[in-house]
Amino acid sequence: MGNLIDIRPVLKINNLKKSFGDNHVLKGFTMALNKGENLVIMGKSGSGKSVMIKCLVGLMLPDSGEIEIMGNDITKLKQQKLDNLRTELGFLFQGSALYDSMTVRENLEFPLRTHKEKYADSEKLVLEALENVGLADAIDLMPAELSGGMKRRIALARAIILHPKIIIYDEPTTGLDPITAKEILQLMREIQQKQGASSLIITHDIDCSRVISNRMILLIDGINYAEGTFKELSSSKDKKIQAFFK
Amino acid sequence: MKKSNTQKINLGLFVIISTLILVSALYFIGNRQNLFGKTFRIHVVFNNVIGLQLGNNVRYSGINVGTVKKITMINDTTICVDMLIEDKILKHLKKNAVATIGSDGLVGSMIINITPNKGTSKQLIDGDTISSYSRISTDDMLTTLNNTNENAAILTADLLKITTAINRGEGTLGLLINDTEMASDFKQTILHLKTASSGASKTIDELNKIIASIKYDKSVAAVLLSDSIYADKMKSVITNLEKSSIEIDTVLTNINEVVLGIQKGKGSLNYMINDTILIKDIDDIVKNIKEGSIRLNEDLEALKHNIFFRGYFKKLEKQKKERKK
Amino acid sequence: MKKSLHISDKIKSFLIEIGELSFFANRFFKEAFVKPFEFKELLRQCYYMGNRSLLLVGVTGFILGLVFTLQSRPTLIEFGAESWMPSMVSISIIREIGPVVIALICAGRIGSGIGAELGSMRVTEQIDAMEVSGTNPFKYLVVTRIMAATLMLPLLIIFGDTIALFGSAVVEYLKGEVSFQLYFNKVFNALEFSDLIPAIIKSVFFGFAIGLVGCFKGYNCKKGTVGVGEASNSAVVYTSMLLFIIDFIAVFISDIFFEI
């Protein structure tokens, strides 16, 4: 599979720095996501993973550094263009982040609403996305009526409804039992194959990274500490790297 | 989708109802201040508006018909008040109507009362000025009341002084006790009065009887017309009546004199005060006189109206007129 | 020394809070009148704030009028002025008590609701999700809520005032044998524009304050469930305080403008 990967990166982060007061979270993080690749970024809690992806999608402004998504530096983009660019990004949030006050259908329609002219047939897109995650029956339920695993799948459906080129997963298996977690990982792979998107997966779950990763980056002390395949990293002698694989 | 539609309907209902309430409240308040509807403007000039404010009500014969629109000071003693009056009341307002400023209840706000005046007058037109009447304000009323009170206080104080003096038998009044001549004179006068009044009573009784017989027996009345003797008798009765009334007159003059005497401090007052029987007598007499005179009046009135005596009274009047001439 | 430092810190954080609130309000005005408008969400919020508060406001208003009339009756009767009851009750309810009490209740209901809802949305990253979906969450969540509160509160207050007057009329009808027609006739005789209009303008600001503080607290909620509770709680506390400040200013201003 590795040799099929297009080398041209769709996402590039260069020397990203972000600090909160005296707490320097990111101290010059650099990485690149290649097309069609499943890149896993691992790090301890509080290592700055979440900050990094928030900067990545423009939820947070970095102190310095460049973030380039498909050739656009998002730190310099205007809101309108940023919104357009965001349709190319799918984002699966840690806690699913489904809108509690809306039904599943409305949740899925939400990303479509700002680009109505682009997605005229929203009904079809919603059903397609739900079928992809195998929850077509849940279309009129409220998020509160769903189990954790179902919520995660609906959230996944919402993330992929626009057929994004890049999907960012923030802790996709956190808070789920191992079986459900496996199901989610399975779904992620299916979707990746179906839609040909590149995936950036943030996790601290070692099983997750083993199953899904083509390549891994270890985020330690706010920098890109180590980079390589799961095999390469797991056999590393570095103590800090070893700590992840215990 | 259905749910959100009913939500929209409910929201719309709520918004419309609340807005309607607001609009109607504004309308009612505005209506009271005559902001809407046809109005006309009239003026009235006062010396003092006693705290009248813009927006105060104007009443015509007790009905709210308008509001005060403008109060302007023309000079130090004249204030012009402009009022907006409802158009429909215009035809009832005459040019001679009078405006006064009053208060709506003891503690209420001030109002202008317009009252219609007697007599005919032209209908008011827009921009007319009506006359005003400065009614006594509550303040003035209280001042007057205060003066009266003070006067009453002074009077009672004087009266108290006098009565104490009498009680002690001091002054000229005390001297009167020994004045027996005056007292006997007074007694005699009273006696005369008594007889006179009883005489008057008698005459009146007789007259009553006659009149009763006239009233109850038509045939006797018929006889009266032709019977000259009876007519003569009647004449004499009336002469008697006149006599007795003259007698009463003289008695009254006497009493007047006595009273004058008392007023001048000639005496006998103390005597009278101590003689309870006498006082009772006087009381009785006065009562008699009163009764007698009332009856007399009644009878005379009855006589006047009686067709049989009409001629006689007319004659009397004629004679009076002739005498005057 | 330590204590004074503590106080100065508190003052500092208070000032920061006010500054942030001002920026928040500024952002609201910047974004409220720029396309796109979230009209559907505005309607939904209006429904939730308006219609869903009707029962609460109605019951409170009714009891308010009832109790107020019952309590002031003996005093007025003592002065022999019970015929002034409708004027007194209507003026005090419409000018002051109605708006303030209903606004306080709405601060409890709407303000804490917004605080908790936005707070939990912030904590569970729903607001982030919205932003990533290409929808401006400030516009979608904050602007609509503040607008809805600003629009709905005057209407709720009119509604509550009416019910309160009705409650007062019921007491007068039962105890004072005053007919409803006479009661409302007296009410409208007593009321002036200067009673009604400042109260309505005031209630617009009340609504704005409730929406603004609720959204501010919720939108800037700290992480965790504790943060949500704090957001909704402080939304109510700050709103209530702000309501009285606004009321004070409003009375001051209306006193200047409507003085004869």
Side-chain angles (χ1 to χ4, degrees):
Chain A
M1 219 152 111
N3 47 0
L4 291 174
I5 290 169
D6 191 342
I7 303 300
R8 197 157 48 93
V10 285
L11 189 152
K12 246 164 57 183
I13 295 176
N14 192 25
N15 202 19
L16 186 69
K17 282 179 185 167
K18 177 78 186 173
S19 56
F20 299 96
D22 293 332
N23 181 19
H24 301 281
V25 181
L26 293 174
K27 302 167 189 167
F29 180 75
T30 305
M31 61 152 268
L33 174 68
N34 298 319
K35 201 177 174 194
E37 175 183 45
N38 285 347
L39 176 63
V40 170
I41 298 177
M42 278 185 82
K44 288 186 287 187
S45 303
S47 59
K49 296 170 295 183
S50 293
V51 173
M52 191 268 291
I53 53 167
K54 275 188 178 163
C55 291
L56 198 63
V57 293
L59 289 173
M60 225 178 242
L61 264 180
D63 297 341
S64 68
E66 291 110 48
I67 300 165
E68 215 179 284
I69 297 175
M70 297 188 296
N72 302 298
D73 188 348
I74 67 141
T75 55
K76 286 167 189 140
L77 276 184
K78 282 189 177 162
Q79 188 67 39
Q80 184 59 43
K81 282 199 171 168
L82 182 61
D83 281 344
N84 282 333
L85 186 62
R86 276 170 175 166
T87 62
E88 307 290 344
L89 294 174
F91 204 121
L92 177 67
F93 283 88
Q94 198 171 354
S96 306
L98 294 179
Y99 310 124
D100 296 323
S101 56
M102 302 178 199
T103 63
V104 169
R105 181 204 300 273
E106 286 166 330
N107 260 291
L108 291 183
E109 279 172 348
F110 201 85
L112 308 174
R113 58 191 291 283
T114 38
H115 305 279
K116 269 182 191 138
E117 59 291 349
K118 212 162 154 188
Y119 308 102
D121 198 358
S122 66
E123 184 75 18
K124 198 183 133 205
L125 282 169
V126 169
L127 280 172
E128 185 197 16
L130 279 176
E131 271 160 19
N132 277 338
V133 297
L135 277 175
D137 299 338
I139 189 158
D140 285 320
L141 294 177
M142 295 298 281
E145 296 167 297
L146 303 173
S147 71
M150 285 162 92
K151 272 188 197 168
R152 198 62 56 91
R153 270 149 66 175
I154 300 291
L156 184 58
R158 189 176 67 186
I160 60 164
I161 193 162
L162 295 179
H163 296 284
K165 299 212 166 58
I166 302 166
I167 307 172
I168 300 164
Y169 300 90
D170 187 4
E171 312 265 12
T173 55
T174 317
L176 297 176
D177 59 275
I179 299 164
T180 320
K182 254 178 206 160
E183 279 173 19
I184 296 288
L185 290 174
Q186 186 58 37
L187 265 176
M188 283 161 66
R189 281 168 83 172
E190 279 174 20
I191 287 158
Q192 211 254 335
Q193 276 165 15
K194 218 184 250 179
Q195 302 192 347
S198 324
S199 306
L200 181 64
I201 303 135
I202 312 277
T203 186
H204 56 251
D205 180 0
I206 197 72
D207 289 330
C208 167
S209 20
R210 187 176 56 229
V211 172
I212 207 138
S213 68
N214 303 127
R215 196 158 61 93
M216 281 176 72
I217 288 174
L218 293 183
L219 174 58
I220 301 171
D221 298 332
I223 53 158
N224 186 348
Y225 191 82
E227 208 175 323
T229 59
F230 185 81
K231 250 185 201 165
E232 284 164 18
L233 287 176
S234 59
S235 56
S236 166
K237 294 278 178 346
D238 193 306
K239 268 187 187 170
K240 279 187 179 171
I241 297 170
Q242 272 303 308
F244 281 96
F245 297 96
K246 269 177 184 168
Chain B
M1 222 56 201
K2 214 176 184 182
K3 192 180 155 203
S4 86
N5 264 346
T6 48
Q7 280 183 5
K8 274 179 199 164
I9 290 167
N10 285 340
L11 176 65
L13 221 62
F14 166 57
V15 171
I16 287 168
I17 287 172
S18 300
T19 318
L20 273 183
I21 291 172
L22 177 66
V23 168
S24 55
L26 288 174
Y27 173 77
F28 277 123
I29 295 172
N31 197 24
R32 188 169 54 80
Q33 297 186 347
N34 295 314
L35 289 188
F36 321 113
K38 276 189 166 178
T39 54
F40 64 97
R41 194 182 269 255
I42 58 173
H43 316 282
V44 60
V45 175
F46 289 102
N47 296 334
N48 183 351
V49 292
I50 331 171
L52 193 74
Q53 288 181 336
L54 297 184
N56 276 143
N57 282 334
V58 176
R59 285 188 187 157
Y60 178 62
S61 303
I63 307 167
N64 284 332
V65 295
T67 48
V68 173
K69 197 66 202 168
K70 203 171 147 196
I71 300 172
T72 37
M73 193 101 194
I74 291 172
N75 58 42
D76 55 349
T77 51
T78 41
I79 299 160
C80 183
V81 176
D82 291 10
M83 300 175 281
L84 281 186
I85 308 289
E86 282 170 35
D87 219 26
K88 61 188 175 195
I89 229 79
L90 181 65
K91 58 175 181 267
H92 304 294
L93 264 172
K94 301 283 186 289
K95 284 200 172 180
N96 63 355
V98 177
T100 55
I101 296 179
S103 74
D104 190 5
L106 251 186
V107 284
S109 52
M110 305 312 286
I111 50 170
I112 291 186
N113 280 312
I114 302 176
T115 38
N117 224 340
K118 276 176 190 165
T120 49
S121 181
K122 270 187 193 168
Q123 187 182 300
L124 267 180
I125 50 163
D126 195 13
D128 266 356
T129 304
I130 59 170
S131 55
S132 71
Y133 170 68
S134 292
R135 215 191 57 173
I136 304 160
S137 70
T138 329
D139 267 6
D140 293 342
M141 249 159 67
L142 288 175
T143 326
T144 319
L145 206 62
N146 199 24
N147 284 340
T148 320
N149 266 342
E150 274 170 9
N151 286 343
I154 294 164
L155 263 174
T156 42
D158 283 355
L159 215 57
L160 197 71
K161 265 186 215 162
I162 293 165
T163 46
T164 0
I166 293 170
N167 276 344
R168 285 182 195 156
E170 280 170 4
T172 34
L173 278 170
L175 294 175
L176 272 167
I177 300 167
N178 297 325
D179 194 351
T180 44
E181 207 181 318
M182 172 81 180
S184 69
D185 266 7
F186 201 71
K187 239 183 186 168
Q188 218 158 10
T189 321
I190 301 286
L191 209 73
H192 281 301
L193 204 60
K194 244 184 185 170
T195 40
S197 67
S198 66
S201 289
K202 240 188 229 163
T203 329
I204 287 157
D205 276 352
E206 267 178 85
L207 202 64
N208 267 343
K209 271 177 207 158
I210 293 163
I211 289 163
S213 69
I214 292 168
K215 273 178 189 163
Y216 289 119
D217 200 343
K218 279 183 181 170
S219 58
V220 176
V223 170
L224 255 173
L225 270 177
S226 53
D227 197 342
S228 57
I229 302 164
Y230 223 109
D232 278 350
K233 222 179 188 177
M234 204 59 145
K235 257 182 190 168
S236 71
V237 168
I238 287 164
T239 332
N240 275 345
L241 203 65
E242 266 188 332
K243 231 189 238 168
S244 59
S245 62
I246 290 162
E247 266 178 336
I248 292 172
D249 240 341
T250 45
V251 172
L252 284 175
T253 335
N254 278 348
I255 293 176
N256 265 345
E257 270 171 18
V258 173
V259 172
L260 264 171
I262 294 167
Q263 274 173 347
K264 284 173 187 164
K266 272 181 184 165
S268 80
L269 181 64
N270 238 355
Y271 181 78
M272 277 169 73
I273 288 165
N274 290 329
D275 194 344
T276 46
I277 303 161
L278 180 69
I279 287 169
K280 221 185 149 237
D281 277 350
I282 295 176
D283 246 349
D284 284 349
I285 293 158
V286 171
K287 250 186 223 163
N288 272 343
I289 294 170
K290 251 189 194 161
E291 271 173 23
S293 61
I294 289 167
R295 275 208 211 127
L296 201 64
N297 263 341
E298 277 172 9
D299 291 341
L300 283 173
E301 200 62 27
L303 278 173
K304 265 188 197 169
H305 289 283
N306 196 308
I307 39 163
F308 303 116
F309 296 99
R310 211 177 262 171
Y312 175 71
F313 281 107
K314 272 186 182 166
K315 219 185 256 171
L316 275 181
E317 270 180 25
K318 248 185 200 169
Q319 281 174 0
K320 260 189 192 169
K321 276 181 188 169
E322 274 172 8
R323 250 181 252 157
K324 272 185 185 172
K325 280 175 187 173
Chain C
M1 197 64 200
K2 219 177 179 180
K3 206 172 182 184
S4 72
L5 199 78
H6 189 66
I7 288 170
S8 75
D9 274 0
K10 275 207 160 168
I11 292 171
K12 212 169 157 188
S13 69
F14 177 70
L15 289 178
I16 287 171
E17 188 105 354
I18 289 182
E20 280 178 346
L21 185 63
S22 312
F23 278 123
F24 197 76
N26 183 36
R27 190 171 167 196
F28 165 76
F29 286 115
K30 266 187 189 159
E31 302 210 5
F33 306 105
V34 180
K35 276 186 178 181
F37 302 116
E38 304 288 355
F39 194 67
K40 215 172 152 188
E41 176 68 7
L42 177 69
L43 279 185
R44 211 169 67 94
Q45 288 304 325
C46 283
Y47 175 77
Y48 279 108
M49 288 177 194
N51 289 43
R52 292 290 174 87
S53 308
L54 277 185
L55 187 68
L56 183 75
V57 168
V59 170
T60 322
F62 188 76
I63 294 172
L64 179 74
L66 205 85
V67 170
F68 187 54
T69 311
L70 277 175
Q71 294 280 41
S72 35
R73 259 184 83 77
T75 319
L76 280 187
I77 285 172
E78 207 171 302
F79 286 115
E82 63 260 51
S83 65
W84 284 80
M85 188 63 112
S87 344
M88 195 197 82
V89 169
S90 64
I91 287 177
S92 41
I93 280 180
I94 283 178
R95 284 188 87 131
E96 191 58 39
I97 300 176
V100 170
V101 169
I102 291 163
L104 282 176
I105 287 168
C106 289
R109 207 199 100 85
I110 297 174
S112 75
I114 294 174
E117 194 187 2
L118 292 194
S120 68
M121 285 184 88
R122 167 65 76 198
V123 168
T124 58
E125 296 182 306
Q126 289 175 44
I127 293 179
D128 289 340
M130 237 171 229
E131 183 146 17
V132 172
S133 305
T135 297
N136 183 346
F138 195 89
K139 248 191 175 127
Y140 189 81
L141 298 172
V142 174
V143 171
T144 54
R145 276 168 175 77
I146 295 179
M147 282 238 216
T150 313
L151 291 175
M152 283 298 114
L153 213 78
L155 298 181
L156 281 174
I157 284 173
I158 292 166
F159 179 78
D161 282 353
T162 314
I163 300 265
L165 286 183
F166 186 74
S168 166
V170 166
V171 174
E172 283 291 281
Y173 178 70
L174 294 177
K175 290 201 110 184
E177 290 179 344
V178 174
S179 71
F180 285 96
Q181 196 187 355
L182 178 61
Y183 186 91
F184 282 101
N185 212 348
K186 280 189 173 181
V187 165
F188 283 117
N189 257 326
L191 286 179
E192 302 277 346
F193 281 134
S194 58
D195 298 321
L196 193 59
I197 290 170
I200 299 297
I201 295 171
K202 187 161 80 177
S203 57
V204 171
F205 283 98
F206 283 171
F208 179 72
I210 290 171
L212 182 74
V213 178
C215 285
F216 172 69
K217 285 289 171 185
Y219 201 72
N220 296 326
C221 175
K222 292 184 196 92
K223 285 273 175 187
T225 33
V226 182
V228 178
E230 207 178 285
S232 79
N233 183 34
S234 57
V236 177
V237 173
Y238 280 93
T239 309
S240 309
M241 210 171 73
L242 198 60
L243 287 181
F244 281 105
I245 295 171
I246 291 172
D247 190 41
F248 172 71
I249 296 168
V251 169
F252 234 63
I253 291 174
S254 58
D255 206 42
I256 294 166
F257 275 100
F258 284 95
E259 208 176 31
I260 299 166

